[in-house]
Coordinates of all heavy atoms in Angstrom, one line a residue:
M509 N 0.8 -1.1 0.0 CA 0.0 0.0 0.0 C 0.8 1.2 0.0 O 1.8 1.4 0.8 CB -0.9 0.0 1.2 CG -1.7 1.2 1.4 SD -3.2 0.9 2.6 CE -2.4 0.5 4.0
S510 N 0.5 2.2 -0.9 CA 1.5 3.4 -0.9 C 1.0 4.4 0.2 O -0.1 4.2 0.8 CB 1.2 4.0 -2.3 OG 0.0 4.6 -2.5
R511 N 1.8 5.5 0.4 CA 1.5 6.4 1.4 C 0.2 7.3 1.1 O -0.5 7.8 1.9 CB 2.6 7.4 1.6 CG 3.7 6.6 2.4 CD 4.8 7.5 2.5 NE 5.8 7.0 3.6 CZ 6.1 7.5 4.7 NH1 5.6 8.7 4.9 NH2 6.9 6.8 5.5
T512 N -0.1 7.3 -0.2 CA -1.3 8.1 -0.7 C -2.6 7.4 -0.7 O -3.6 8.1 -0.7 CB -0.9 8.7 -2.1 OG1 -0.8 7.6 -3.0 CG2 0.3 9.5 -2.2
T513 N -2.4 6.1 -0.5 CA -3.7 5.2 -0.5 C -4.2 5.3 1.0 O -3.5 5.0 1.9 CB -3.4 3.8 -0.9 OG1 -2.7 3.8 -2.2 CG2 -4.7 3.0 -1.0
P514 N -5.4 5.6 1.1 CA -6.1 5.7 2.6 C -6.3 4.3 3.0 O -6.5 3.2 2.3 CB -7.4 6.3 2.4 CG -7.8 6.2 0.9 CD -6.5 6.1 0.2
D515 N -6.0 4.1 4.3 CA -6.2 2.7 5.0 C -7.6 2.6 5.4 O -8.0 3.3 6.5 CB -5.2 2.7 6.1 CG -5.3 1.3 6.7 OD1 -5.9 0.4 6.3 OD2 -4.5 1.1 7.8
N516 N -8.5 1.9 4.8 CA -9.7 1.8 5.0 C -10.1 0.7 6.1 O -11.3 0.6 6.4 CB -10.6 1.4 3.8 CG -10.7 2.6 2.8 OD1 -10.6 3.8 3.2 ND2 -10.8 2.3 1.5
R517 N -9.1 -0.1 6.5 CA -9.3 -1.1 7.6 C -9.9 -0.5 8.8 O -10.6 -1.1 9.6 CB -8.1 -1.8 7.7 CG -7.7 -2.7 6.6 CD -6.4 -3.5 6.9 NE -5.3 -2.4 6.8 CZ -4.1 -2.7 7.0 NH1 -3.7 -3.9 7.2 NH2 -3.2 -1.8 6.9
A518 N -9.5 0.7 9.1 CA -9.9 1.3 10.4 C -11.4 1.7 10.3 O -12.1 1.8 11.4 CB -9.0 2.5 10.8
K519 N -11.9 2.0 9.2 CA -13.3 2.4 9.0 C -14.2 1.3 8.7 O -15.5 1.4 9.0 CB -13.3 3.5 7.9 CG -12.5 4.6 8.0 CD -12.5 5.6 6.9 CE -11.6 6.8 7.1 NZ -11.5 7.6 6.0
T520 N -13.8 0.2 8.2 CA -14.6 -0.9 7.8 C -14.7 -1.9 8.9 O -13.8 -2.3 9.5 CB -14.1 -1.7 6.5 OG1 -13.8 -0.8 5.6 CG2 -15.0 -2.8 6.1
P521 N -16.0 -2.0 9.4 CA -16.2 -2.9 10.6 C -15.9 -4.4 10.2 O -16.2 -4.9 9.1 CB -17.7 -2.7 10.9 CG -18.3 -2.3 9.7 CD -17.3 -1.5 8.8
C522 N -15.3 -5.0 11.1 CA -14.9 -6.4 10.9 C -15.9 -7.2 11.8 O -15.9 -7.3 12.9 CB -13.5 -6.7 11.4 SG -12.9 -8.4 11.3
R523 N -16.8 -7.9 11.1 CA -17.8 -8.7 11.7 C -17.7 -10.2 11.3 O -18.3 -10.7 10.5 CB -19.1 -8.2 11.4 CG -19.6 -7.1 12.2 CD -21.0 -6.9 12.2 NE -21.4 -5.7 11.5 CZ -22.5 -5.4 10.9 NH1 -23.4 -6.3 10.8 NH2 -22.7 -4.2 10.3
P524 N -16.8 -11.0 11.9 CA -16.6 -12.4 11.5 C -17.9 -13.2 11.9 O -18.2 -14.3 11.4 CB -15.3 -12.8 12.1 CG -15.2 -12.1 13.2 CD -15.6 -10.7 12.9
H525 N -18.5 -12.8 13.0 CA -19.6 -13.5 13.6 C -20.9 -13.1 12.9 O -21.7 -12.5 13.4 CB -19.6 -13.4 15.1 CG -18.6 -14.1 15.8 ND1 -18.8 -15.4 16.4 CD2 -17.2 -13.8 15.9 CE1 -17.5 -15.8 17.0 NE2 -16.8 -14.8 16.7
L526 N -21.1 -13.7 11.6 CA -22.2 -13.3 10.8 C -23.2 -14.4 10.9 O -22.9 -15.6 11.1 CB -21.9 -12.9 9.4 CG -21.0 -11.7 9.2 CD1 -20.5 -11.6 7.8 CD2 -21.7 -10.5 9.6
P527 N -24.5 -14.2 10.6 CA -25.5 -15.3 10.6 C -25.4 -16.2 9.3 O -25.1 -15.7 8.2 CB -26.9 -14.5 10.5 CG -26.5 -13.2 9.9 CD -25.1 -12.8 10.3
L528 N -25.6 -17.4 9.6 CA -25.8 -18.4 8.5 C -27.3 -18.6 8.3 O -28.1 -19.1 9.0 CB -25.1 -19.8 9.0 CG -25.3 -21.0 8.0 CD1 -24.5 -20.6 6.6 CD2 -24.8 -22.1 8.7
R529 N -27.6 -18.0 7.1 CA -29.1 -18.1 6.9 C -29.4 -19.4 6.0 O -28.6 -19.8 5.3 CB -29.5 -16.8 6.0 CG -29.4 -15.6 6.9 CD -29.7 -14.4 6.1 NE -31.2 -14.4 5.7 CZ -31.8 -13.5 5.0 NH1 -31.2 -12.5 4.6 NH2 -33.1 -13.7 4.8
P530 N -30.5 -19.9 6.1 CA -31.7 -19.5 6.8 C -31.9 -19.9 8.2 O -32.9 -19.8 9.0 CB -32.9 -20.0 5.9 CG -32.3 -21.3 5.5 CD -30.8 -21.0 5.3
L531 N -30.7 -20.6 8.8 CA -30.8 -21.2 10.2 C -30.7 -20.0 11.2 O -31.0 -20.3 12.4 CB -29.8 -22.3 10.3 CG -30.0 -23.4 9.4 CD1 -28.8 -24.4 9.6 CD2 -31.3 -24.2 9.7
W532 N -30.1 -18.9 10.9 CA -29.8 -17.9 11.8 C -28.8 -18.4 13.0 O -29.2 -18.1 14.1 CB -31.0 -17.1 12.3 CG -31.6 -16.4 11.1 CD1 -32.5 -16.8 10.1 CD2 -31.1 -15.1 10.8 NE1 -32.6 -15.7 9.2 CE2 -31.8 -14.6 9.6 CE3 -30.2 -14.1 11.3 CZ2 -31.8 -13.5 8.9 CZ3 -30.2 -12.8 10.6 CH2 -30.9 -12.6 9.4
L533 N -27.8 -19.1 12.7 CA -26.8 -19.5 13.5 C -25.5 -18.8 13.1 O -25.3 -18.4 12.0 CB -26.6 -21.1 13.5 CG -27.8 -22.0 13.9 CD1 -27.4 -23.4 13.6 CD2 -28.1 -21.7 15.3
C534 N -24.6 -18.6 14.2 CA -23.4 -17.9 13.9 C -22.5 -18.7 13.1 O -22.5 -19.9 13.2 CB -22.8 -17.5 15.1 SG -21.0 -16.8 14.9
R535 N -21.9 -18.1 11.9 CA -21.0 -18.9 11.1 C -19.8 -19.3 11.7 O -19.2 -20.4 11.3 CB -20.6 -18.0 9.9 CG -21.7 -17.7 8.9 CD -21.3 -16.8 7.8 NE -22.5 -16.5 7.0 CZ -22.7 -17.0 5.8 NH1 -22.0 -18.1 5.4 NH2 -23.7 -16.7 5.1
V536 N -19.3 -18.7 12.8 CA -18.0 -19.1 13.5 C -18.3 -20.0 14.7 O -17.7 -21.0 14.7 CB -17.5 -17.7 13.9 CG1 -16.2 -18.0 14.8 CG2 -17.0 -16.9 12.8
C537 N -19.3 -19.7 15.5 CA -19.4 -20.4 16.8 C -20.7 -21.3 16.9 O -20.9 -22.0 17.8 CB -19.3 -19.5 18.0 SG -20.6 -18.3 18.1
A538 N -21.5 -21.2 15.9 CA -22.8 -22.0 15.8 C -23.8 -21.8 16.8 O -24.8 -22.4 17.0 CB -22.4 -23.5 15.7
A539 N -23.6 -20.5 17.6 CA -24.6 -20.2 18.5 C -25.7 -19.4 17.8 O -25.5 -19.0 16.7 CB -23.9 -19.2 19.6
P540 N -27.0 -19.5 18.5 CA -27.9 -18.6 17.8 C -27.5 -17.2 17.5 O -27.0 -16.6 18.5 CB -29.1 -18.6 18.7 CG -28.9 -19.9 19.6 CD -27.4 -20.0 19.6
W541 N -27.8 -16.8 16.4 CA -27.3 -15.3 16.1 C -28.4 -14.3 16.5 O -29.5 -14.6 16.2 CB -27.1 -15.2 14.6 CG -26.2 -14.0 14.3 CD1 -24.8 -13.8 14.2 CD2 -26.7 -12.7 14.0 NE1 -24.4 -12.7 13.9 CE2 -25.7 -11.8 13.7 CE3 -28.0 -12.1 13.8 CZ2 -25.8 -10.5 13.4 CZ3 -28.1 -10.9 13.4 CH2 -27.1 -10.0 13.3
P542 N -28.0 -13.2 17.0 CA -26.6 -12.7 17.3 C -25.9 -13.4 18.5 O -26.6 -13.3 19.5 CB -26.7 -11.2 17.6 CG -28.2 -11.0 17.8 CD -28.9 -12.1 17.3
C543 N -24.9 -13.9 18.4 CA -24.1 -14.6 19.4 C -23.5 -13.5 20.3 O -23.5 -12.3 20.0 CB -23.1 -15.6 18.9 SG -21.7 -14.7 17.9
P544 N -23.1 -13.8 21.5 CA -22.4 -12.9 22.3 C -21.3 -12.0 21.6 O -21.2 -10.8 21.9 CB -21.8 -13.7 23.5 CG -22.8 -15.0 23.6 CD -23.0 -15.2 22.1
V545 N -20.5 -12.6 20.8 CA -19.4 -11.9 20.1 C -20.0 -10.9 19.1 O -19.6 -9.7 19.0 CB -18.3 -12.9 19.4 CG1 -17.3 -12.0 18.6 CG2 -17.7 -13.7 20.5
A546 N -21.1 -11.3 18.5 CA -21.7 -10.4 17.5 C -22.4 -9.3 18.2 O -22.4 -8.1 17.8 CB -22.8 -11.1 16.7
R547 N -23.0 -9.5 19.4 CA -23.7 -8.6 20.1 C -22.6 -7.5 20.6 O -22.8 -6.2 20.5 CB -24.3 -9.0 21.3 CG -25.5 -9.9 21.1 CD -26.0 -10.6 22.2 NE -27.2 -11.4 21.9 CZ -28.0 -12.0 22.7 NH1 -27.9 -11.7 24.1 NH2 -29.0 -12.7 22.4
L548 N -21.4 -7.8 21.0 CA -20.4 -7.0 21.4 C -19.9 -6.2 20.2 O -19.7 -4.9 20.4 CB -19.2 -7.7 22.1 CG -19.4 -8.3 23.5 CD1 -18.1 -9.1 23.8 CD2 -19.6 -7.1 24.4
T549 N -19.7 -6.8 19.1 CA -19.2 -6.1 17.9 C -20.3 -5.2 17.5 O -19.9 -4.0 17.1 CB -19.0 -7.2 16.9 OG1 -18.1 -8.1 17.3 CG2 -18.3 -6.4 15.7
L550 N -21.5 -5.4 17.5 CA -22.6 -4.5 17.1 C -22.7 -3.3 18.0 O -22.8 -2.2 17.6 CB -23.9 -5.3 16.9 CG -24.1 -6.2 15.8 CD1 -25.3 -7.2 15.8 CD2 -24.3 -5.4 14.5
R551 N -22.6 -3.7 19.4 CA -22.7 -2.5 20.3 C -21.4 -1.6 20.1 O -21.7 -0.3 20.2 CB -22.5 -3.0 21.8 CG -23.9 -3.5 22.2 CD -23.9 -3.6 23.6 NE -25.2 -4.2 24.0 CZ -25.8 -4.0 25.2 NH1 -25.1 -3.6 26.1 NH2 -26.9 -4.5 25.4
Q552 N -20.3 -2.0 19.8 CA -19.1 -1.1 19.5 C -19.4 -0.4 18.2 O -19.1 0.8 18.1 CB -17.8 -2.0 19.4 CG -17.4 -2.5 20.6 CD -16.2 -3.5 20.5 OE1 -15.9 -3.9 19.5 NE2 -15.6 -3.7 21.6
E553 N -19.8 -1.1 17.1 CA -20.1 -0.5 15.8 C -21.1 0.6 16.0 O -21.0 1.8 15.2 CB -20.6 -1.5 14.9 CG -20.6 -1.0 13.4 CD -21.0 -2.1 12.4 OE1 -20.7 -3.4 12.8 OE2 -21.5 -1.7 11.4
Y554 N -22.2 0.4 16.7 CA -23.2 1.4 16.9 C -23.2 2.1 18.1 O -24.2 2.5 18.6 CB -24.5 0.6 16.7 CG -24.9 0.1 15.3 CD1 -24.6 -1.1 14.9 CD2 -25.6 1.0 14.5 CE1 -24.9 -1.5 13.6 CE2 -26.0 0.6 13.1 CZ -25.6 -0.6 12.8 OH -25.9 -1.1 11.4
A555 N -22.0 2.3 18.7 CA -22.0 2.9 20.0 C -22.6 4.4 20.0 O -23.2 4.7 21.0 CB -20.4 3.1 20.4
D556 N -22.5 5.1 18.9 CA -23.0 6.6 19.0 C -24.3 6.5 18.3 O -24.7 7.6 17.8 CB -21.9 7.4 18.3 CG -20.6 7.4 19.0 OD1 -20.7 7.4 20.3 OD2 -19.5 7.5 18.4
D557 N -24.9 5.4 17.9 CA -26.1 5.4 17.2 C -27.0 4.2 17.5 O -27.3 3.2 16.8 CB -25.8 5.2 15.6 CG -27.0 5.4 14.7 OD1 -28.0 5.9 15.3 OD2 -27.0 5.1 13.5
R558 N -27.6 4.4 18.8 CA -28.4 3.4 19.3 C -29.7 3.2 18.5 O -30.3 2.1 18.4 CB -28.8 3.7 20.8 CG -27.7 3.7 21.6 CD -27.1 2.3 21.8 NE -27.8 1.6 22.8 CZ -27.2 0.7 23.6 NH1 -26.0 0.5 23.6 NH2 -27.9 0.0 24.4
V559 N -30.3 4.2 17.9 CA -31.4 4.2 17.0 C -31.0 3.3 15.8 O -31.8 2.4 15.4 CB -31.9 5.5 16.7 CG1 -33.1 5.5 15.6 CG2 -32.5 6.3 17.9
G560 N -29.9 3.6 15.3 CA -29.5 2.8 14.0 C -29.3 1.3 14.4 O -29.7 0.5 13.5
L561 N -28.9 1.1 15.6 CA -28.7 -0.4 15.9 C -30.1 -1.0 16.1 O -30.4 -2.1 15.5 CB -28.0 -0.5 17.3 CG -27.9 -1.9 17.9 CD1 -27.1 -2.8 17.0 CD2 -27.2 -1.8 19.4
S562 N -31.1 -0.3 16.6 CA -32.4 -0.9 16.8 C -33.1 -1.1 15.4 O -33.8 -2.0 15.2 CB -33.2 0.1 17.6 OG -32.8 0.2 19.0
V563 N -32.8 0.0 14.4 CA -33.4 -0.3 13.2 C -32.7 -1.4 12.4 O -33.5 -2.3 11.9 CB -33.2 1.0 12.4 CG1 -33.5 0.9 10.8 CG2 -34.1 2.1 12.9
Y564 N -31.5 -1.6 12.5 CA -30.7 -2.6 11.9 C -31.4 -4.0 12.5 O -31.6 -5.0 11.7 CB -29.3 -2.6 12.1 CG -28.6 -3.9 11.8 CD1 -28.4 -4.2 10.5 CD2 -28.0 -4.7 12.7 CE1 -27.8 -5.4 10.0 CE2 -27.3 -5.9 12.3 CZ -27.3 -6.2 10.9 OH -26.5 -7.4 10.5
L565 N -31.5 -4.1 13.9 CA -31.9 -5.4 14.4 C -33.3 -5.8 14.1 O -33.7 -6.9 14.0 CB -31.7 -5.4 16.1 CG -30.3 -5.3 16.5 CD1 -30.0 -5.1 17.9 CD2 -29.4 -6.6 16.0
C566 N -34.1 -4.7 14.0 CA -35.5 -4.8 13.6 C -35.7 -5.5 12.2 O -36.5 -6.4 11.9 CB -36.3 -3.6 13.6 SG -36.7 -3.0 15.3
A567 N -34.8 -5.0 11.3 CA -34.7 -5.4 9.9 C -34.2 -7.0 9.9 O -34.9 -7.8 9.2 CB -33.8 -4.7 9.1
V568 N -33.2 -7.3 10.7 CA -32.8 -8.8 10.6 C -33.8 -9.6 11.4 O -33.9 -10.8 11.0 CB -31.3 -8.8 11.1 CG1 -30.3 -8.1 10.2 CG2 -31.1 -8.4 12.5
L569 N -34.5 -9.0 12.4 CA -35.6 -9.8 13.1 C -36.7 -10.2 12.1 O -37.1 -11.4 12.1 CB -36.0 -9.0 14.2 CG -37.5 -9.6 14.9 CD1 -37.2 -10.9 15.5 CD2 -37.9 -8.7 15.9
H570 N -37.0 -9.2 11.4 CA -38.1 -9.5 10.3 C -37.6 -10.6 9.3 O -38.4 -11.4 9.0 CB -38.3 -8.2 9.6 CG -39.4 -8.3 8.6 ND1 -40.8 -8.4 8.7 CD2 -39.3 -8.3 7.1 CE1 -41.4 -8.6 7.6 NE2 -40.5 -8.5 6.6
E571 N -36.2 -10.5 8.9 CA -35.8 -11.6 7.9 C -35.7 -12.8 8.6 O -36.1 -13.9 8.0 CB -34.4 -11.1 7.3 CG -34.5 -9.8 6.6 CD -33.1 -9.4 6.1 OE1 -32.1 -10.1 6.3 OE2 -33.0 -8.2 5.6
A572 N -35.3 -12.8 9.9 CA -35.1 -14.3 10.6 C -36.4 -14.8 10.8 O -36.6 -16.0 10.6 CB -34.4 -13.9 11.9
A573 N -37.4 -14.0 11.2 CA -38.7 -14.6 11.4 C -39.2 -15.3 10.2 O -39.8 -16.4 10.1 CB -39.7 -13.6 11.9
A574 N -39.2 -14.6 9.0 CA -39.5 -15.2 7.7 C -38.8 -16.5 7.4 O -39.5 -17.4 7.1 CB -39.4 -14.1 6.6
D575 N -37.5 -16.4 7.6 CA -36.7 -17.6 7.2 C -37.0 -18.8 8.2 O -37.3 -19.9 7.7 CB -35.2 -17.3 7.4 CG -34.7 -16.5 6.2 OD1 -35.4 -16.3 5.3 OD2 -33.5 -15.9 6.4
L576 N -37.1 -18.6 9.4 CA -37.4 -19.6 10.4 C -38.8 -20.2 10.2 O -39.0 -21.3 10.4 CB -37.1 -19.0 11.8 CG -35.7 -18.8 12.1 CD1 -35.5 -18.0 13.4 CD2 -34.8 -20.0 12.1
Y577 N -39.8 -19.2 10.0 CA -41.1 -19.9 9.7 C -41.3 -20.6 8.5 O -42.0 -21.6 8.4 CB -42.1 -18.7 9.8 CG -42.6 -18.3 11.2 CD1 -42.1 -17.0 11.7 CD2 -43.3 -19.1 12.0 CE1 -42.4 -16.7 13.0 CE2 -43.6 -18.7 13.2 CZ -43.2 -17.5 13.9 OH -43.5 -17.2 15.2
R578 N -40.5 -20.2 7.4 CA -40.5 -20.9 6.2 C -39.8 -22.3 6.5 O -40.3 -23.3 5.8 CB -39.7 -20.1 5.1 CG -39.9 -20.7 3.8 CD -39.3 -19.8 2.6 NE -39.4 -18.4 2.9 CZ -38.7 -17.4 3.1 NH1 -37.4 -17.7 3.3 NH2 -39.0 -16.2 3.2
L579 N -38.8 -22.4 7.3 CA -38.2 -23.7 7.6 C -39.2 -24.6 8.4 O -39.1 -25.9 8.1 CB -36.9 -23.5 8.3 CG -35.7 -22.9 7.6 CD1 -34.5 -22.7 8.5 CD2 -35.4 -23.9 6.4
N580 N -40.0 -24.1 9.3 CA -40.7 -24.8 10.1 C -42.0 -24.1 10.3 O -42.3 -23.7 11.4 CB -40.0 -25.1 11.4 CG -40.6 -26.2 12.2 OD1 -41.7 -26.9 11.8 ND2 -40.1 -26.5 13.4
P581 N -43.0 -24.3 9.4 CA -44.2 -23.4 9.4 C -45.2 -23.8 10.6 O -46.0 -23.1 11.1 CB -44.9 -23.5 8.1 CG -44.2 -24.8 7.5 CD -42.9 -24.9 8.1
H582 N -45.1 -25.2 11.0 CA -46.1 -25.7 11.9 C -45.6 -25.4 13.3 O -46.4 -25.4 14.2 CB -46.4 -27.3 11.7 CG -46.9 -27.5 10.4 ND1 -48.1 -27.0 10.0 CD2 -46.4 -28.0 9.2 CE1 -48.3 -27.3 8.7 NE2 -47.4 -28.0 8.2
D583 N -44.4 -25.4 13.6 CA -43.9 -25.2 14.9 C -42.7 -24.1 15.0 O -41.6 -24.5 15.4 CB -43.3 -26.6 15.5 CG -43.0 -26.5 17.0 OD1 -43.6 -25.7 17.6 OD2 -42.2 -27.3 17.3
G584 N -43.0 -23.1 14.5 CA -42.1 -21.9 14.2 C -41.7 -21.3 15.5 O -42.2 -21.6 16.7
P585 N -40.7 -20.5 15.6 CA -40.2 -19.8 16.8 C -41.3 -19.0 17.5 O -42.1 -18.4 16.8 CB -39.0 -19.0 16.4 CG -39.3 -18.8 14.9 CD -39.9 -19.9 14.4
E586 N -41.2 -18.9 18.8 CA -42.1 -18.1 19.6 C -41.6 -16.5 19.4 O -40.5 -16.3 19.4 CB -42.0 -18.4 21.0 CG -42.9 -17.7 21.9 CD -44.3 -18.2 21.7 OE1 -44.5 -19.4 21.4 OE2 -45.2 -17.5 21.9
P587 N -42.7 -15.8 19.0 CA -42.5 -14.4 18.7 C -41.7 -13.6 19.8 O -40.7 -12.9 19.5 CB -43.7 -13.7 18.5 CG -44.6 -14.8 18.0 CD -44.2 -16.0 18.6
A588 N -42.0 -13.9 21.1 CA -41.5 -13.3 22.3 C -39.9 -13.7 22.3 O -39.1 -12.9 22.7 CB -42.1 -13.7 23.6
A589 N -39.7 -14.9 22.0 CA -38.3 -15.4 22.1 C -37.6 -14.7 21.0 O -36.2 -14.5 21.3 CB -38.3 -16.9 22.0
L590 N -38.1 -14.7 19.8 CA -37.3 -13.9 18.7 C -37.0 -12.5 19.1 O -36.0 -12.0 18.9 CB -38.1 -14.0 17.5 CG -38.0 -15.2 16.7 CD1 -38.8 -15.2 15.3 CD2 -36.5 -15.5 16.3
F591 N -38.1 -11.9 19.8 CA -37.8 -10.4 20.1 C -36.6 -10.3 21.1 O -35.7 -9.5 20.9 CB -39.1 -9.8 20.7 CG -39.0 -8.5 21.3 CD1 -38.9 -7.4 20.4 CD2 -38.6 -8.2 22.6 CE1 -38.9 -6.0 20.8 CE2 -38.4 -7.0 23.1 CZ -38.5 -5.8 22.2
T592 N -36.7 -11.2 22.1 CA -35.6 -11.1 23.2 C -34.2 -11.5 22.5 O -33.3 -10.8 22.8 CB -35.9 -12.2 24.3 OG1 -37.2 -11.9 24.8 CG2 -34.8 -12.2 25.3
R593 N -34.3 -12.5 21.6 CA -32.9 -12.8 21.0 C -32.4 -11.7 20.1 O -31.1 -11.5 20.1 CB -33.3 -14.1 20.0 CG -32.1 -14.6 19.3 CD -32.5 -15.7 18.5 NE -31.6 -16.1 17.4 CZ -31.6 -17.1 16.6 NH1 -32.8 -18.0 16.8 NH2 -30.8 -17.4 15.6
F594 N -33.2 -11.1 19.3 CA -32.6 -9.9 18.5 C -32.7 -8.6 19.1 O -31.8 -7.8 18.7 CB -33.5 -10.0 17.1 CG -33.1 -11.0 16.2 CD1 -33.7 -12.3 16.3 CD2 -32.1 -11.0 15.3 CE1 -33.4 -13.4 15.6 CE2 -31.8 -12.0 14.4 CZ -32.5 -13.2 14.7
L595 N -33.5 -8.3 19.9 CA -33.8 -6.8 20.5 C -33.5 -6.7 21.9 O -33.2 -5.5 22.4 CB -35.0 -6.2 20.0 CG -35.1 -6.0 18.4 CD1 -36.6 -5.7 18.1 CD2 -34.2 -4.8 18.1
G596 N -33.8 -7.7 22.6 CA -33.9 -7.6 24.1 C -32.6 -7.1 24.7 O -32.5 -6.4 25.7
W597 N -31.5 -7.6 24.1 CA -30.2 -7.3 24.7 C -29.7 -5.8 24.3 O -28.8 -5.3 24.9 CB -29.1 -8.3 24.1 CG -29.0 -8.3 22.7 CD1 -29.7 -9.0 21.9 CD2 -28.2 -7.5 21.8 NE1 -29.4 -8.9 20.5 CE2 -28.4 -7.9 20.5 CE3 -27.2 -6.5 22.1 CZ2 -27.7 -7.3 19.5 CZ3 -26.5 -5.9 21.1 CH2 -26.7 -6.3 19.8
A598 N -30.3 -5.3 23.3 CA -29.8 -4.0 22.7 C -30.4 -2.7 23.4 O -30.1 -1.6 23.2 CB -30.1 -3.9 21.3
R599 N -31.4 -3.0 24.2 CA -32.2 -1.8 25.0 C -31.2 -1.1 25.9 O -30.3 -1.8 26.5 CB -33.3 -2.3 25.8 CG -34.4 -2.9 24.8 CD -35.6 -3.1 25.7 NE -35.4 -4.3 26.6 CZ -36.1 -5.3 26.9 NH1 -37.4 -5.2 26.4 NH2 -35.7 -6.2 27.7
P600 N -31.3 0.1 26.1 CA -30.4 0.8 26.9 C -30.8 0.4 28.4 O -32.0 0.2 28.7 CB -30.7 2.3 26.8 CG -31.6 2.4 25.7 CD -32.0 1.0 25.2
R601 N -29.8 0.2 29.2 CA -30.1 -0.2 30.6 C -30.7 0.9 31.4 O -30.4 2.0 31.3 CB -29.0 -0.7 31.4 CG -28.3 -2.0 30.7 CD -27.1 -2.5 31.4 NE -26.7 -3.6 30.7 CZ -25.6 -4.2 30.9 NH1 -24.8 -3.8 31.9 NH2 -25.3 -5.4 30.4
D602 N -31.6 0.4 32.4 CA -32.3 1.5 33.2 C -31.2 2.0 34.3 O -30.5 1.2 34.9 CB -33.4 0.9 34.0 CG -34.1 1.9 34.6 OD1 -34.0 3.0 34.5 OD2 -35.2 1.4 35.4
T603 N -31.0 3.4 34.3 CA -30.0 3.8 35.1 C -30.4 4.3 36.5 O -29.7 4.9 37.2 CB -29.3 5.1 34.4 OG1 -30.3 6.1 34.1 CG2 -28.5 4.7 33.2
R604 N -31.7 4.0 36.8 CA -32.2 4.3 38.1 C -31.6 3.5 39.2 O -31.2 2.5 39.2 CB -33.8 4.1 38.1 CG -34.5 5.2 37.2 CD -35.9 5.1 37.5 NE -36.5 4.5 36.2 CZ -37.6 4.0 36.0 NH1 -38.4 3.8 37.1 NH2 -37.9 3.5 34.9

């Protein structure tokens, strides 16, 4: 790399713990996605944009629900469990 070429590695997020669709398991550790490492990475990536994190997680929740119900339409995932899995951990903690 030359001195005039910008180093984009610092700006590009590195997320190795991505979902394996349509199962929505982590590609690295096989835990239900978002796995603990993916959660930490997402919190760091969206540290200054909690609304953006919520919007992103709502979008992937919608995709995951569709994929998981398509795989098993008669005994699909419980909606409350999906909500907790995708969004429950991302809520700001109560500071009271």
